[in-house]
Coordinates of all heavy atoms in Angstrom, one line a residue:
M24 N 105.3 81.7 86.7 CA 104.8 83.0 87.1 C 103.3 82.9 87.2 O 102.6 82.3 86.4 CB 105.2 84.0 86.0 CG 104.7 85.4 86.2 SD 105.5 86.6 85.1 CE 104.6 88.0 85.5
H25 N 102.8 83.6 88.2 CA 101.3 83.6 88.4 C 100.7 84.6 87.4 O 101.2 85.6 87.0 CB 101.0 84.1 89.8 CG 101.5 83.1 90.9 ND1 100.8 82.0 91.2 CD2 102.6 83.1 91.6 CE1 101.5 81.4 92.1 NE2 102.6 82.0 92.4
D26 N 99.4 84.2 87.0 CA 98.7 85.1 86.1 C 97.5 85.8 86.8 O 96.7 86.4 86.2 CB 98.2 84.3 84.9 CG 97.3 83.1 85.3 OD1 97.2 82.8 86.5 OD2 96.8 82.5 84.4
T27 N 97.5 85.6 88.2 CA 96.4 86.3 88.9 C 97.0 86.9 90.2 O 98.1 86.4 90.7 CB 95.3 85.4 89.3 OG1 95.8 84.3 90.1 CG2 94.6 84.8 88.1
L28 N 96.4 87.9 90.7 CA 96.7 88.5 92.0 C 95.6 88.2 93.0 O 94.4 88.5 92.6 CB 96.9 90.0 91.9 CG 97.1 90.8 93.2 CD1 98.5 90.5 93.7 CD2 96.9 92.3 92.9
Q29 N 95.9 87.7 94.1 CA 94.9 87.4 95.1 C 95.1 88.2 96.3 O 96.2 88.4 96.8 CB 95.0 85.9 95.6 CG 94.6 84.9 94.5 CD 94.7 83.5 95.0 OE1 95.3 83.2 96.0 NE2 94.1 82.6 94.2
C30 N 94.0 88.8 96.8 CA 94.0 89.5 98.1 C 93.3 88.6 99.1 O 92.1 88.2 98.9 CB 93.3 90.9 98.0 SG 94.1 92.1 97.0
L31 N 94.0 88.3 100.2 CA 93.4 87.3 101.1 C 92.8 88.1 102.3 O 93.4 89.1 102.8 CB 94.5 86.4 101.6 CG 95.2 85.6 100.5 CD1 96.3 84.7 101.1 CD2 94.2 84.8 99.7
S32 N 91.8 87.6 102.9 CA 91.2 88.1 104.1 C 92.0 87.8 105.3 O 92.3 86.6 105.5 CB 89.8 87.5 104.3 OG 89.3 87.9 105.6
P33 N 92.4 88.8 106.1 CA 93.1 88.5 107.3 C 92.3 87.8 108.4 O 92.8 87.3 109.3 CB 93.6 89.9 107.7 CG 92.7 90.8 107.2 CD 92.2 90.2 105.9
V34 N 91.0 87.8 108.2 CA 90.1 87.3 109.1 C 90.1 85.7 109.1 O 90.3 85.1 110.1 CB 88.6 87.7 108.9 CG1 87.6 87.0 109.8 CG2 88.5 89.2 109.1
D35 N 90.0 85.2 107.9 CA 90.0 83.7 107.8 C 90.9 83.1 106.7 O 90.8 81.9 106.4 CB 88.5 83.3 107.6 CG 87.9 83.8 106.3 OD1 88.6 84.4 105.5 OD2 86.7 83.6 106.1
G36 N 91.6 84.0 106.0 CA 92.6 83.5 105.0 C 91.9 83.2 103.7 O 92.6 82.8 102.7
S37 N 90.6 83.5 103.6 CA 89.9 83.2 102.3 C 90.3 84.3 101.3 O 90.8 85.3 101.6 CB 88.4 83.2 102.5 OG 87.9 84.5 102.9
I38 N 90.1 83.9 100.0 CA 90.3 84.9 99.0 C 89.3 86.0 99.0 O 88.1 85.7 98.8 CB 90.4 84.2 97.6 CG1 91.5 83.2 97.5 CG2 90.6 85.2 96.5 CD1 91.5 82.3 96.3
Y39 N 89.7 87.2 99.2 CA 88.7 88.3 99.3 C 88.4 88.8 97.8 O 87.3 89.0 97.5 CB 89.3 89.5 100.1 CG 88.5 90.7 100.1 CD1 87.3 90.7 100.8 CD2 88.8 91.8 99.4 CE1 86.5 91.8 100.8 CE2 88.0 93.0 99.4 CZ 86.8 93.0 100.1 OH 86.0 94.1 100.0
V40 N 89.5 88.9 97.0 CA 89.3 89.3 95.6 C 90.5 88.7 94.8 O 91.6 88.5 95.3 CB 89.2 90.8 95.4 CG1 90.5 91.5 95.8 CG2 88.7 91.2 94.0
Q41 N 90.2 88.3 93.6 CA 91.2 87.8 92.7 C 91.1 88.5 91.4 O 90.0 88.6 90.8 CB 91.0 86.3 92.5 CG 92.0 85.6 91.6 CD 91.9 84.1 91.7 OE1 92.0 83.5 92.8 NE2 91.8 83.5 90.6
R42 N 92.2 89.0 90.8 CA 92.2 89.7 89.6 C 93.3 89.2 88.7 O 94.4 88.8 89.1 CB 92.4 91.2 89.8 CG 91.3 91.9 90.6 CD 90.0 92.0 89.8 NE 89.0 92.8 90.5 CZ 88.0 92.2 91.2 NH1 87.9 90.9 91.3 NH2 87.2 93.0 91.8
P43 N 93.0 89.1 87.4 CA 94.1 88.7 86.4 C 95.2 89.8 86.3 O 94.9 91.0 86.5 CB 93.4 88.6 85.1 CG 92.2 89.5 85.2 CD 91.8 89.5 86.7
L44 N 96.4 89.4 86.2 CA 97.5 90.3 86.0 C 97.6 90.7 84.5 O 97.4 89.8 83.7 CB 98.8 89.7 86.5 CG 98.9 89.4 88.0 CD1 100.2 88.6 88.3 CD2 98.9 90.7 88.8
A45 N 98.0 91.9 84.3 CA 98.1 92.4 82.9 C 99.4 91.8 82.3 O 100.4 91.7 83.0 CB 98.1 93.9 82.8
T46 N 99.4 91.5 81.0 CA 100.6 91.1 80.3 C 101.3 92.3 79.8 O 100.7 93.4 79.8 CB 100.2 90.2 79.1 OG1 99.5 90.9 78.2 CG2 99.5 88.9 79.6
G47 N 102.5 92.2 79.3 CA 103.1 93.3 78.6 C 102.3 93.9 77.5 O 102.2 95.1 77.3
A48 N 101.7 93.0 76.7 CA 100.9 93.5 75.6 C 99.6 94.2 76.1 O 99.2 95.2 75.5 CB 100.4 92.3 74.7
D49 N 99.0 93.8 77.2 CA 97.9 94.5 77.8 C 98.3 95.9 78.2 O 97.6 96.8 78.0 CB 97.4 93.7 79.1 CG 96.8 92.4 78.8 OD1 96.3 92.2 77.6 OD2 96.8 91.5 79.7
I50 N 99.5 96.0 78.9 CA 99.9 97.3 79.4 C 100.2 98.2 78.2 O 99.8 99.4 78.2 CB 101.2 97.1 80.2 CG1 100.8 96.3 81.5 CG2 101.8 98.4 80.6 CD1 101.9 95.8 82.3
R51 N 100.9 97.7 77.2 CA 101.2 98.6 76.0 C 99.9 99.0 75.3 O 99.7 100.2 74.9 CB 102.0 97.8 75.0 CG 103.5 97.7 75.4 CD 104.4 97.2 74.3 NE 104.1 95.7 74.1 CZ 104.6 94.7 74.8 NH1 105.3 95.0 75.9 NH2 104.3 93.5 74.5
A52 N 98.9 98.2 75.2 CA 97.6 98.5 74.6 C 96.9 99.6 75.5 O 96.3 100.5 74.9 CB 96.7 97.3 74.5
A53 N 96.9 99.4 76.8 CA 96.3 100.4 77.7 C 97.0 101.7 77.6 O 96.3 102.8 77.6 CB 96.3 99.9 79.1
L54 N 98.3 101.7 77.5 CA 99.0 103.0 77.4 C 98.7 103.7 76.1 O 98.5 104.9 76.0 CB 100.5 102.8 77.6 CG 101.0 102.4 79.0 CD1 102.4 102.0 78.9 CD2 100.7 103.6 79.9
Q55 N 98.6 102.9 75.0 CA 98.3 103.5 73.7 C 96.9 104.0 73.7 O 96.7 105.1 73.2 CB 98.4 102.4 72.6 CG 98.2 102.9 71.2 CD 98.4 101.9 70.1 OE1 98.4 100.7 70.4 NE2 98.6 102.3 68.9
A56 N 96.0 103.3 74.3 CA 94.6 103.8 74.4 C 94.5 105.1 75.2 O 93.7 106.0 74.9 CB 93.7 102.7 75.0
A57 N 95.3 105.2 76.3 CA 95.3 106.4 77.1 C 95.8 107.6 76.4 O 95.3 108.7 76.5 CB 96.1 106.1 78.4
V58 N 96.9 107.4 75.6 CA 97.4 108.5 74.8 C 96.4 109.0 73.8 O 96.2 110.2 73.6 CB 98.7 108.0 74.1 CG1 99.2 109.0 73.0 CG2 99.8 107.8 75.1
I59 N 95.7 108.1 73.1 CA 94.7 108.4 72.2 C 93.5 109.2 72.9 O 93.0 110.2 72.4 CB 94.2 107.2 71.4 CG1 95.3 106.7 70.5 CG2 92.9 107.5 70.6 CD1 95.0 105.3 69.9
A60 N 93.1 108.6 74.0 CA 92.0 109.2 74.8 C 92.4 110.7 75.2 O 91.6 111.6 75.1 CB 91.6 108.4 76.0
Q61 N 93.6 110.9 75.6 CA 94.1 112.2 76.1 C 94.0 113.1 74.9 O 93.6 114.3 75.1 CB 95.4 112.1 76.7 CG 95.9 113.4 77.4 CD 96.4 114.5 76.5 OE1 97.0 114.2 75.5 NE2 96.1 115.7 76.9
R62 N 94.5 112.7 73.8 CA 94.5 113.6 72.6 C 93.1 113.9 72.2 O 92.8 115.1 71.9 CB 95.2 112.9 71.4 CG 96.7 112.8 71.5 CD 97.3 112.1 70.3 NE 98.7 111.8 70.5 CZ 99.3 110.8 70.0 NH1 98.7 110.0 69.1 NH2 100.6 110.6 70.2
D63 N 92.2 113.0 72.3 CA 90.8 113.2 71.9 C 90.2 114.2 73.0 O 89.5 115.2 72.6 CB 89.9 112.0 71.9 CG 90.3 111.0 70.7 OD1 91.0 111.5 69.8 OD2 89.9 109.9 70.8
W64 N 90.4 114.0 74.2 CA 89.9 114.8 75.3 C 90.4 116.3 75.2 O 89.6 117.2 75.5 CB 90.3 114.2 76.7 CG 89.7 115.0 77.9 CD1 90.4 115.8 78.7 CD2 88.4 115.0 78.3 NE1 89.6 116.2 79.7 CE2 88.3 115.8 79.5 CE3 87.2 114.4 77.9 CZ2 87.2 116.0 80.2 CZ3 86.0 114.6 78.6 CH2 86.0 115.4 79.7
A65 N 91.6 116.4 74.7 CA 92.2 117.8 74.5 C 91.3 118.6 73.5 O 91.4 119.8 73.6 CB 93.6 117.7 74.1
H66 N 90.6 117.9 72.6 CA 89.8 118.6 71.6 C 88.4 118.8 72.0 O 87.6 119.4 71.2 CB 89.9 117.9 70.3 CG 91.3 117.9 69.7 ND1 91.9 119.0 69.2 CD2 92.2 116.9 69.7 CE1 93.2 118.7 68.8 NE2 93.4 117.4 69.1
V67 N 88.0 118.3 73.2 CA 86.6 118.4 73.7 C 86.4 119.8 74.2 O 87.2 120.3 75.0 CB 86.3 117.4 74.8 CG1 84.9 117.6 75.3 CG2 86.4 116.0 74.2
A68 N 85.3 120.4 73.8 CA 85.0 121.8 74.3 C 84.8 121.8 75.8 O 84.3 120.8 76.4 CB 83.7 122.3 73.6
I69 N 85.1 123.0 76.4 CA 85.0 123.1 77.8 C 83.6 122.8 78.4 O 83.5 122.2 79.5 CB 85.6 124.4 78.3 CG1 85.8 124.5 79.8 CG2 84.6 125.6 77.9 CD1 87.0 123.7 80.2
D70 N 82.6 123.2 77.7 CA 81.2 123.0 78.2 C 80.9 121.5 78.2 O 80.2 121.0 79.1 CB 80.2 123.8 77.4 CG 80.1 123.5 76.0 OD1 81.2 123.1 75.4 OD2 79.1 123.7 75.3
E71 N 81.4 120.7 77.2 CA 81.2 119.3 77.2 C 82.0 118.6 78.3 O 81.5 117.6 78.9 CB 81.6 118.7 75.8 CG 81.4 117.2 75.7 CD 80.0 116.7 75.8 OE1 79.0 117.5 75.9 OE2 79.9 115.5 75.9
R72 N 83.2 119.1 78.5 CA 84.0 118.5 79.6 C 83.3 118.7 80.9 O 83.2 117.8 81.8 CB 85.4 119.2 79.7 CG 86.3 118.9 78.6 CD 87.6 119.6 78.8 NE 88.6 119.4 77.7 CZ 89.9 119.6 77.8 NH1 90.4 119.9 79.0 NH2 90.6 119.5 76.8
Q73 N 82.7 119.9 81.1 CA 82.0 120.2 82.3 C 80.8 119.3 82.5 O 80.5 118.7 83.6 CB 81.5 121.7 82.3 CG 80.9 122.1 83.6 CD 79.4 121.9 83.7 OE1 78.7 121.9 82.7 NE2 78.9 121.6 84.9
R74 N 80.1 119.0 81.4 CA 78.9 118.1 81.4 C 79.4 116.7 81.8 O 78.8 116.0 82.7 CB 78.2 118.1 80.1 CG 76.9 117.3 80.1 CD 76.4 117.0 78.7 NE 77.2 116.1 77.9 CZ 77.3 114.8 78.2 NH1 76.6 114.2 79.2 NH2 78.1 114.0 77.4
V75 N 80.4 116.2 81.2 CA 80.9 114.8 81.5 C 81.4 114.7 82.9 O 81.0 113.7 83.6 CB 82.0 114.4 80.5 CG1 82.7 113.2 80.9 CG2 81.5 114.3 79.1
L76 N 82.1 115.7 83.4 CA 82.7 115.6 84.7 C 81.6 115.8 85.8 O 81.6 115.1 86.8 CB 83.8 116.6 84.9 CG 85.0 116.3 84.1 CD1 86.1 117.4 84.3 CD2 85.6 115.0 84.4
S77 N 80.6 116.6 85.5 CA 79.4 116.8 86.4 C 78.6 115.5 86.5 O 78.2 115.1 87.6 CB 78.5 117.9 85.9 OG 79.2 119.1 86.1
A78 N 78.5 114.8 85.4 CA 77.8 113.5 85.4 C 78.5 112.4 86.2 O 77.9 111.7 87.0 CB 77.6 113.0 84.0
A79 N 79.9 112.5 86.1 CA 80.7 111.5 86.9 C 80.5 111.9 88.4 O 80.4 110.9 89.2 CB 82.2 111.6 86.5
I80 N 80.6 113.1 88.7 CA 80.4 113.5 90.2 C 79.0 113.1 90.6 O 78.9 112.6 91.8 CB 80.6 115.0 90.3 CG1 82.1 115.4 90.1 CG2 80.1 115.5 91.7 CD1 82.4 116.8 90.0
D81 N 78.0 113.3 89.8 CA 76.6 112.9 90.2 C 76.6 111.4 90.5 O 76.0 111.0 91.4 CB 75.6 113.3 89.1 CG 75.4 114.8 89.0 OD1 75.8 115.5 90.0 OD2 74.8 115.2 88.0
H82 N 77.2 110.6 89.6 CA 77.2 109.2 89.8 C 77.9 108.8 91.1 O 77.4 108.0 91.9 CB 78.0 108.5 88.6 CG 78.1 107.0 88.8 ND1 77.0 106.2 88.5 CD2 79.1 106.2 89.2 CE1 77.4 104.9 88.7 NE2 78.7 104.9 89.2
F83 N 79.1 109.4 91.4 CA 79.8 109.1 92.7 C 78.9 109.5 93.8 O 78.8 108.8 94.8 CB 81.1 109.8 92.7 CG 82.2 109.2 91.8 CD1 82.8 110.0 90.9 CD2 82.5 107.9 92.0 CE1 83.8 109.4 90.1 CE2 83.5 107.3 91.2 CZ 84.1 108.1 90.2
M84 N 78.3 110.6 93.8 CA 77.4 111.1 94.9 C 76.2 110.2 95.1 O 75.8 110.0 96.3 CB 77.0 112.6 94.7 CG 78.1 113.6 94.6 SD 79.2 113.5 96.1 CE 78.0 114.1 97.3
Q85 N 75.7 109.6 94.1 CA 74.5 108.7 94.2 C 74.9 107.4 94.7 O 74.1 106.6 95.2 CB 73.8 108.6 92.8 CG 73.1 109.8 92.4 CD 72.7 109.7 90.9 OE1 72.8 108.7 90.3 NE2 72.2 110.8 90.4
H86 N 76.2 107.0 94.7 CA 76.7 105.7 95.1 C 77.8 105.8 96.2 O 78.6 104.9 96.3 CB 77.2 105.0 93.8 CG 76.2 104.7 92.8 ND1 76.0 105.6 91.8 CD2 75.3 103.7 92.6 CE1 75.0 105.2 91.0 NE2 74.6 104.0 91.5
T87 N 77.7 106.8 97.0 CA 78.8 107.0 98.0 C 78.8 105.8 99.0 O 79.9 105.4 99.4 CB 78.6 108.3 98.8 OG1 77.3 108.4 99.3 CG2 78.9 109.5 97.9
A88 N 77.6 105.3 99.4 CA 77.6 104.2 100.4 C 78.3 103.0 99.8 O 79.1 102.4 100.5 CB 76.2 103.9 100.8
A89 N 78.0 102.6 98.6 CA 78.6 101.4 98.0 C 80.1 101.6 97.8 O 80.9 100.7 98.0 CB 77.9 101.1 96.7
I90 N 80.5 102.8 97.3 CA 81.9 103.1 97.1 C 82.6 103.1 98.4 O 83.7 102.5 98.5 CB 82.0 104.5 96.4 CG1 81.5 104.5 95.0 CG2 83.5 104.9 96.4 CD1 81.3 105.8 94.4
A91 N 82.1 103.7 99.5 CA 82.7 103.7 100.8 C 82.9 102.2 101.3 O 83.9 101.9 101.9 CB 81.9 104.5 101.8
E92 N 81.9 101.4 101.1 CA 81.9 100.0 101.5 C 83.1 99.3 100.8 O 83.7 98.5 101.4 CB 80.6 99.3 101.3 CG 80.5 97.9 101.8 CD 79.1 97.3 101.6 OE1 78.1 98.0 101.8 OE2 79.1 96.1 101.3
E93 N 83.2 99.5 99.6 CA 84.3 98.9 98.8 C 85.7 99.3 99.3 O 86.6 98.6 99.3 CB 84.2 99.1 97.3 CG 83.1 98.4 96.7 CD 83.3 96.9 96.7 OE1 84.4 96.4 96.5 OE2 82.3 96.1 97.0
I94 N 85.8 100.6 99.6 CA 87.1 101.2 100.0 C 87.4 100.7 101.4 O 88.6 100.4 101.7 CB 87.0 102.7 100.0 CG1 86.9 103.2 98.5 CG2 88.2 103.3 100.6 CD1 86.7 104.6 98.3
D95 N 86.5 100.7 102.3 CA 86.7 100.4 103.7 C 85.9 99.2 104.2 O 84.7 99.4 104.6 CB 86.5 101.6 104.6 CG 86.8 101.3 106.1 OD1 87.5 100.4 106.4 OD2 86.3 102.1 106.9
E96 N 86.5 98.1 104.2 CA 85.7 96.9 104.7 C 85.9 96.7 106.2 O 85.7 95.7 106.8 CB 86.2 95.7 104.0 CG 85.7 95.6 102.6 CD 84.2 95.3 102.5 OE1 83.7 94.5 103.2 OE2 83.6 96.0 101.6
G97 N 86.5 97.8 106.9 CA 86.7 97.6 108.3 C 87.9 96.8 108.7 O 88.0 96.3 109.8
V98 N 88.8 96.6 107.7 CA 90.0 95.7 107.9 C 91.2 96.6 108.0 O 91.4 97.5 107.2 CB 90.1 94.8 106.7 CG1 91.4 93.9 106.9 CG2 88.9 93.9 106.6
D99 N 92.0 96.4 109.0 CA 93.2 97.2 109.2 C 94.4 96.6 108.5 O 95.4 97.3 108.2 CB 93.6 97.2 110.7 CG 92.5 98.0 111.5 OD1 91.9 98.9 110.9 OD2 92.3 97.7 112.7
V100 N 94.4 95.3 108.1 CA 95.6 94.7 107.4 C 95.0 93.9 106.3 O 94.1 93.2 106.4 CB 96.3 93.8 108.4 CG1 97.5 93.1 107.7 CG2 96.9 94.5 109.6
V101 N 95.7 94.1 105.1 CA 95.4 93.4 103.9 C 96.6 92.5 103.6 O 97.7 93.0 103.6 CB 95.0 94.3 102.8 CG1 94.7 93.5 101.5 CG2 93.8 95.2 103.1
E102 N 96.4 91.3 103.3 CA 97.5 90.4 102.9 C 97.4 90.2 101.4 O 96.3 90.0 100.8 CB 97.4 89.0 103.6 CG 97.7 89.1 105.0 CD 97.7 87.7 105.6 OE1 97.5 86.7 104.9 OE2 98.0 87.6 106.8
V103 N 98.5 90.4 100.7 CA 98.5 90.3 99.3 C 99.5 89.2 98.9 O 100.7 89.2 99.4 CB 99.0 91.6 98.6 CG1 99.0 91.4 97.1 CG2 98.0 92.7 99.0
E104 N 99.1 88.2 98.2 CA 100.0 87.1 97.8 C 100.3 87.3 96.3 O 99.4 87.4 95.5 CB 99.4 85.8 98.0 CG 100.3 84.6 97.6 CD 99.8 83.3 97.9 OE1 98.8 82.9 97.9 OE2 100.2 82.4 98.2
Y105 N 101.6 87.3 96.0 CA 102.1 87.5 94.6 C 103.3 86.7 94.5 O 104.3 86.8 95.3 CB 102.3 88.9 94.3 CG 102.9 89.1 92.9 CD1 102.1 88.9 91.8 CD2 104.2 89.5 92.7 CE1 102.6 89.1 90.5 CE2 104.7 89.6 91.4 CZ 103.9 89.4 90.3 OH 104.4 89.6 89.1
S106 N 103.4 85.8 93.5 CA 104.5 85.0 93.3 C 104.9 84.2 94.5 O 106.1 84.0 94.8 CB 105.7 85.8 92.8 OG 105.4 86.4 91.5
G107 N 103.9 83.7 95.2 CA 104.2 82.9 96.4 C 104.6 83.7 97.6 O 104.8 83.1 98.7
E108 N 104.8 85.0 97.5 CA 105.2 85.8 98.7 C 104.0 86.4 99.3 O 103.1 86.9 98.6 CB 106.2 86.8 98.3 CG 107.5 86.2 97.7 CD 108.5 87.3 97.3 OE1 108.2 88.5 97.5 OE2 109.5 86.9 96.7
V109 N 104.0 86.6 100.6 CA 102.8 87.2 101.3 C 103.4 88.5 101.9 O 104.4 88.5 102.6 CB 102.2 86.3 102.3 CG1 101.1 87.1 103.1 CG2 101.6 85.1 101.6
A110 N 102.7 89.6 101.7 CA 103.1 90.9 102.3 C 101.9 91.4 103.0 O 100.8 91.4 102.6 CB 103.6 91.9 101.2
E111 N 102.1 92.0 104.2 CA 101.1 92.7 104.9 C 101.2 94.2 104.7 O 102.3 94.7 104.8 CB 101.2 92.4 106.4 CG 100.8 91.0 106.8 CD 100.7 90.8 108.3 OE1 101.0 91.7 109.1 OE2 100.4 89.7 108.7
L112 N 100.1 94.7 104.3 CA 100.0 96.2 104.0 C 99.2 96.8 105.1 O 98.0 96.4 105.3 CB 99.4 96.4 102.7 CG 100.1 95.7 101.5 CD1 99.2 96.0 100.2 CD2 101.5 96.2 101.3
K113 N 99.7 97.8 105.8 CA 98.9 98.5 106.8 C 98.1 99.6 106.1 O 98.6 100.3 105.3 CB 99.9 99.2 107.9 CG 100.8 98.2 108.6 CD 100.0 97.4 109.6 CE 100.9 96.5 110.4 NZ 100.2 95.6 111.3
V114 N 96.8 99.5 106.4 CA 96.0 100.5 105.7 C 95.3 101.4 106.8 O 95.3 101.2 107.9 CB 94.8 99.9 104.9 CG1 95.2 99.9 103.4 CG2 94.5 98.6 105.3

């Protein structure tokens, strides 16, 4: 079993990005952390929620060009290799 996910460039077949795959323990820990975070967030006052979310929006607005570049590399097809299989995803 592979422990990484590779996204290959359809232009030249090079590795565009490679990320480690989560283990079952990683997933369980992430889910447990999400449950705790949601419980904590439920107790946050509405004015503090507004401040946090406004700061997140401000960050996104200040970095729209970089975010857009990451989302759209001008590629119509992305190849994903996992467990030796290659699938083409139309985007």
